[in-house]
């Protein structure tokens, strides 16, 4: 939660200390008096890019491997119902609609994977499927739990 810029506007004291927009990522948080806790260099694309990668790759667990396959290895809280990711291939022709469900409130790894309705093996509690850039919309259903 501390990575999120909104954390810095949780109360009036935090807003007064941070002094920058709570909806963008600050590249710097000052540690020297008299500016301790104040944000700086907002709208800095490098820090926003890293925040995006943390969210997508480390929390949602979505990655591309070797340019040939997609993987899902989430690290989400048990109380999440699930989430959705729409991924379009680099050509823009093919859309992957990825639906992740957590029906038993146990987000410890992937328990099942379906690609366009066909069951696929889950190895090491990670979902993995090949990228096919065929101009078709593909539906990926992932279930979390043990």
């Amino acid at each position: 939660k501390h990575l999120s810029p909104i954390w810095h506007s949780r109360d009036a004291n935090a807003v007064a200390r941070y002094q920058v927009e709570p909806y963008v990522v600050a590249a710097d948080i000052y540690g020297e008096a008299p500016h301790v806790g104040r944000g700086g260099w907002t709208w800095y694309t490098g820090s926003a890019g890293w925040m995006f990668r943390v969210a997508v790759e480390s929390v949602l667990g979505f990655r591309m491997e070797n340019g040939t396959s997609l993987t899902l290895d989430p690290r989400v809280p048990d109380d999440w119902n699930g989430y959705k990711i729409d991924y379009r291939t680099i050509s823009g022709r093919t859309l992957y609609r990825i639906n992740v469900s957590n029906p038993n409130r146990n987000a410890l790894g992937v328990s099942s994977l379906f690609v366009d309705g066909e069951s696929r093996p889950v190895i090491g509690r990670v979902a993995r499927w090949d990228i096919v850039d065929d101009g078709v919309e593909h539906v990926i259903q992932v279930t979390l739990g043990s």
Side-chain angles (χ1 to χ4, degrees):
K1 70 182 174 184
H2 295 276
L3 287 176
S4 173
I6 198 69
W7 171 255
H8 300 288
S9 64
R10 66 191 177 280
D11 58 40
N13 289 334
V15 170
R17 182 174 40 255
Y18 194 52
Q19 295 187 18
V20 295
E21 310 92 328
Y23 45 83
V24 295
V25 177
D28 296 320
I29 307 292
Y30 298 105
E32 292 289 325
H35 303 294
V36 174
R38 183 174 182 179
W41 287 76
T42 58
W43 296 98
Y44 180 65
T45 57
S47 57
W50 280 109
M51 176 68 98
F52 181 79
R53 287 193 68 178
V54 166
V56 172
E57 295 178 3
S58 298
V59 177
L60 300 181
F62 182 69
R63 292 177 183 258
M64 181 184 294
E65 286 186 345
N66 302 318
T68 60
S69 62
L70 297 172
T71 65
L72 199 70
D73 184 14
R75 300 289 187 269
V76 299
D78 285 340
D79 62 351
W80 279 23
N81 295 331
Y83 57 93
K84 296 179 181 184
I85 298 172
D86 284 348
Y87 171 77
R88 192 170 294 279
T89 57
I90 294 170
S91 73
R93 297 177 343 123
T94 304
L95 176 64
Y96 283 88
R97 293 202 182 271
I98 304 161
N99 302 298
V100 180
S101 63
N102 185 19
N104 299 318
R105 300 297 190 271
N106 178 354
L108 185 64
V110 173
S111 62
S112 70
L113 166 65
F114 287 84
V115 177
D116 294 328
E118 180 183 319
S119 179
R120 299 284 176 90
V122 174
I123 300 169
R125 307 197 59 75
V126 176
R128 180 174 283 106
W129 64 96
D130 291 336
I131 298 171
V132 180
D133 193 7
D134 57 4
V136 175
E137 182 176 302
H138 297 278
V139 176
I140 311 299
Q141 182 61 50
V142 173
T143 304
L144 304 180
S146 55

